[in-house]
Amino acid sequence: MLALPLSWPLENRRVVLIGAGAWLARKVTLLRRTPAEVVVYQPAEQSVLEGISASHARWPEAADLKDAALIVVAFEDRALAEKGAELARTSRAPLNVVDFPDLSDFHVPAIIDRGPLSIGVATGGTAPVLARETRTRIEAAIPPSEAFVAEFALALSAPLRQAIPNVDDRRRFWEAVLKSPAAEQARQGQVAEAVALALKDVETRAERQGVVHLVGAGPGDPELLTLKALRLLSEADVIVYDRLVGDGIMDLARRDAERFYVGKARSNHSVPQDQIHDLLVEQARLGKRVVRLKGGDPFVFGRGGEEVEALRQAGIEVHVTPGITAALGCAASSGVPLTHRDHAQSVTFITGHARDGDSGNQPLMLDWSALSASNHTLVVYMGVATSAEIADKLMRHGRLPDTPVLVVENGTRANESRRLTSLGQLNATIAATPPKGPALLIIGEVAALYRDDAAAVAGIVETASRMNA
Ligand code: SAH
């Protein structure tokens, strides 16, 4: 940058112009568009200039220049320009000598005038034609109606400062309001109406700051929602939900809530996590009550932690309402206690899914010897694809092949199905009928407490009775 384009407020300031002819007239025209008091000295001629505060047909005295905020000298003739500059130097006001950058303290950039919004194109006085051409391109890009938007912004600025004292909150409001219908109305020239509309928006916003609730929807059965989840669903403006949210649950949500599905569609692609964050932030910033509804519990293999972090970073109020996690739902619906005085003193939830980006060959960097202890229940989420590997690891670390495993698919839903098998048989069981819905593995002695006629026929109940003995 050769020069720094500055912006000089001229409210209640006096600008003195000394000059003649067309050069002077051009600068007068420009300065009359500002709120400055414009005083003109025309020593060489006496044409009448309209719309200025005062016009004198003489050179100014030192006293005339004393209070000037800026001085502009505009003569075509270099000798006159130099004389004007010399006089101007008796004052401390910054000086511009039109077309003689060497005599000037400051240059006037090429200006795009959009009311309160002004854009200056400066080249440090070296290439005025380039500056003008650039201005033409910007003129085309910023239509004159932007002046109305700028007027709207100007009128809104003081009341907004009062209504939203916090700087960050205010910036967020500006970001939203400049894209809002109010700005659109301003663009149509209805500035006063637009301001009123925006201020009404501020009021409702103040009453109702945007907020995001991460809500656990439970494993599927709508009756397993918490009372709080139900209330939040009935109050939501926006609901962002995914595939694991059971049928029937969305029917309980407020009718006119806006709904965003972010789970896997037919294309089998779900919305990337960062886009979900953006969506939550965007909706909350519009002042909406957003419910982010997640299967099970938001904080159990639900990426709820990442969402909370993203929202906090964006300065958005966020609350978490727990849900019944799949392990608890499936255990209850199949009558398998996860802990039991006789069979399991502890329970661990693991995910069978490798982190995105990890090699598919070596997921599950877990402490397998601890997980293979007897009298310990292991519940595997997202473990269908890696079940063979999980069974293999557990057996290699000492779990017996006849350790019971319950595979629960669509737990707590109308189409729930369960299969009791063993660690040694797990792979074959899954391969025989691969689960299509969400499925959970409950591994450990307690799984044998599950009974069902089909399993009895298969003779697996034998294991159970042995354990119960
Ligand atoms: N936050 C959820 C878990 C999300 S991970 C929760 O707390 O339950 C997704 C995995 O959860 C699925 O792959 C499956 O292993 C399990 N899951 C979710 N709902 C289930 C259901 N109704 N029945 C069986 N497993 C389920």
Side-chain angles (χ1 to χ4, degrees):
M1 251 192 317
L2 277 177
L4 186 66
L6 300 171
S7 139
W8 201 287
L10 289 173
E11 193 94 43
N12 300 321
R13 300 300 183 90
R14 178 185 303 159
V15 178
V16 175
L17 291 110
I18 311 165
W23 286 32
L24 176 66
R26 268 210 306 278
K27 290 299 161 199
V28 168
T29 307
L30 173 69
L31 284 157
R32 271 181 43 204
R33 284 197 243 144
T34 75
E37 176 195 354
V38 179
V39 179
V40 177
Y41 292 89
Q42 299 182 87
E45 62 189 278
Q46 295 189 11
S47 62
V48 177
L49 292 169
E50 277 175 19
I52 55 176
S53 309
S55 176
H56 307 277
R58 58 172 172 86
W59 291 99
E61 314 274 322
D64 298 326
L65 301 175
K66 204 165 60 88
D67 296 328
L70 295 174
I71 301 177
V72 177
V73 171
F75 291 105
E76 215 171 328
D77 179 275
R78 169 108 193 171
L80 288 173
E82 277 174 4
K83 171 154 191 210
E86 205 179 301
L87 278 171
R89 292 289 171 209
T90 61
S91 156
R92 300 237 297 266
L95 169 67
N96 170 251
V97 183
V98 178
D99 221 33
F100 299 114
D102 58 309
L103 300 176
S104 301
D105 298 322
F106 70 93
H107 312 142
V108 179
I111 291 169
I112 298 109
D113 177 6
R114 296 288 182 259
L117 171 72
S118 58
I119 303 164
V121 181
T123 57
T126 55
V129 177
L130 174 64
R132 280 200 295 274
E133 299 247 306
T134 308
R135 174 180 61 194
T136 307
R137 283 161 56 196
I138 299 175
E139 294 263 9
I142 315 272
S145 59
E146 273 323 286
F148 293 129
V149 180
E151 268 174 46
F152 160 73
L154 185 73
L156 202 55
S157 133
L160 212 55
R161 206 174 285 268
Q162 266 211 326
I164 312 179
N166 179 285
V167 186
D168 288 334
D169 293 348
R170 201 160 59 231
R171 179 178 44 76
R172 272 182 224 119
F173 183 85
W174 274 120
E175 283 166 7
V177 85
L178 289 176
K179 289 184 211 132
S180 74
E184 208 35 61
Q185 193 164 18
R187 203 163 273 123
Q188 311 298 320
Q190 297 164 312
V191 175
E193 292 87 338
V195 170
L197 185 64
L199 287 175
K200 216 165 85 196
D201 229 26
V202 176
E203 268 170 42
T204 45
R205 220 163 284 250
E207 283 165 23
R208 218 184 63 193
Q209 282 277 343
V211 61
V212 178
H213 288 275
L214 262 59
V215 177
D221 179 356
E223 289 205 285
L224 292 177
L225 281 174
T226 61
L227 291 175
K228 190 164 183 180
L230 191 62
R231 175 173 63 79
L232 291 169
L233 279 174
S234 69
E235 291 171 356
D237 298 316
V238 172
I239 300 171
V240 180
Y241 66 106
D242 51 42
R243 187 176 54 99
L244 281 176
V245 171
D247 295 341
I249 289 180
M250 290 302 287
D251 298 341
L252 301 172
R254 198 177 126 202
R255 279 278 173 92
D256 49 358
E258 208 176 332
R259 294 156 194 231
F260 293 93
Y261 178 73
V262 293
K264 282 187 185 162
R266 256 181 241 118
S267 64
N268 220 28
H269 288 297
S270 40
V271 176
Q273 192 63 36
D274 53 350
Q275 281 181 28
I276 297 178
H277 296 170
D278 291 349
L279 176 65
L280 297 175
V281 169
E282 180 190 295
Q283 292 298 317
R285 284 192 179 154
L286 291 170
K288 306 259 174 84
R289 283 168 299 194
V290 182
V291 165
R292 167 66 172 124
L293 194 60
K294 301 170 89 69
D297 180 86
F299 279 177
V300 178
F301 305 126
R303 305 191 77 169
E306 292 162 54
E307 293 178 9
V308 166
E309 207 176 318
L311 290 161
R312 283 200 185 132
Q313 251 171 34
I316 285 161
E317 188 183 329
V318 52
H319 303 278
V320 180
T321 299
I324 292 177
T325 189
L328 303 185
C330 293
S333 66
S334 54
V336 169
L338 295 178
T339 66
H340 189 288
R341 271 166 72 94
D342 301 328
H343 307 304
Q345 278 69 54
S346 57
V347 55
T348 306
F349 298 168
I350 66 166
T351 166
H353 188 70
R355 258 185 87 102
D356 288 351
D358 289 355
S359 131
N361 299 329
Q362 48 157 350
L364 315 170
M365 306 295 286
L366 297 163
D367 182 353
W368 289 101
S369 32
L371 295 176
S372 304
S374 56
N375 291 321
H376 173 86
T377 306
L378 187 61
V379 182
V380 188
Y381 288 71
M382 296 174 273
V384 169
T386 47
S387 59
E389 187 187 348
I390 291 165
D392 187 55
K393 284 220 156 91
L394 290 169
M395 289 187 289
R396 272 198 280 139
H397 286 82
R399 261 302 200 181
L400 295 175
D402 65 358
T403 305
V405 178
L406 188 66
V407 182
V408 185
E409 185 179 349
N410 291 310
T412 81
R413 303 174 181 196
N415 59 348
E416 171 166 352
S417 74
R418 314 163 193 128
R419 281 178 279 170
L420 182 62
T421 177
S422 66
L423 221 41
Q425 292 297 310
L426 180 58
N427 196 19
T429 305
I430 298 249
T433 325
K436 290 194 201 75
L440 206 70
L441 313 177
I442 304 179
I443 304 172
E445 291 78 357
V446 291
L449 298 175
Y450 170 71
R451 305 207 190 187
D452 123 326
D453 295 344
V457 172
I460 296 171
V461 153
E462 224 179 281
T463 325
S465 24
R466 197 158 28 95
M467 315 238 22
N468 284 334

